[in-house]
Amino acid sequence: MTAEVFRRMPYAEALPQARRILVDGYGEGLVLQGTGGYYGLYYLFGVLGLREPVPSHPPDWVEGPRQSQEDFKEPYQMAHWLEENGYNLFVNESK
């Protein structure tokens, strides 16, 4: 799978495929294996005031491929990185 496929992947479909799960109050980062390495799918539901991800929602941000599962930021760090780089709305901005 490629980044384009992952950008459309709803949370309920991505969760069972996750190789690593990063969780904090800002959301969840699911690390999945795909074409060329690992991809981080960030579901930043906490930023929107929600307590849990909506199963049908696509990720708010996708990054990758990376060579290691350990190369991905925690959701809190990713949300702040996005803000620092001009992404103020978390509505699948990676498209």
Side-chain angles (χ1 to χ4, degrees):
M1 287 193 213
T2 63
E4 189 58 38
V5 172
F6 288 132
R7 284 185 188 108
R8 295 189 198 118
M9 186 173 284
Y11 177 82
E13 186 180 333
L15 183 60
Q17 298 179 45
R19 302 284 181 136
R20 183 172 180 223
I21 301 173
L22 308 165
V23 179
D24 62 23
Y26 276 68
E28 290 187 20
L30 305 179
V31 178
L32 282 69
Q33 190 165 15
T35 304
Y38 295 96
Y39 292 79
L41 285 65
Y42 289 91
Y43 299 86
L44 301 172
F45 54 88
V47 175
L48 302 173
L50 301 174
R51 298 182 129 188
E52 60 187 34
V54 177
S56 61
H57 282 193
D60 297 295
W61 189 261
V62 174
E63 67 173 350
R66 301 205 187 272
Q67 295 307 309
S68 171
Q69 296 180 37
E70 307 301 319
D71 290 345
F72 296 94
K73 297 174 176 67
E74 296 290 328
Y76 172 83
Q77 294 170 326
M78 179 53 70
H80 285 286
W81 181 89
L82 289 167
E83 288 175 357
E84 290 170 1
N85 288 281
Y87 298 98
N88 296 315
L89 298 174
F90 301 104
V91 184
N92 205 357
E93 295 267 355
S94 63
K95 284 187 176 177

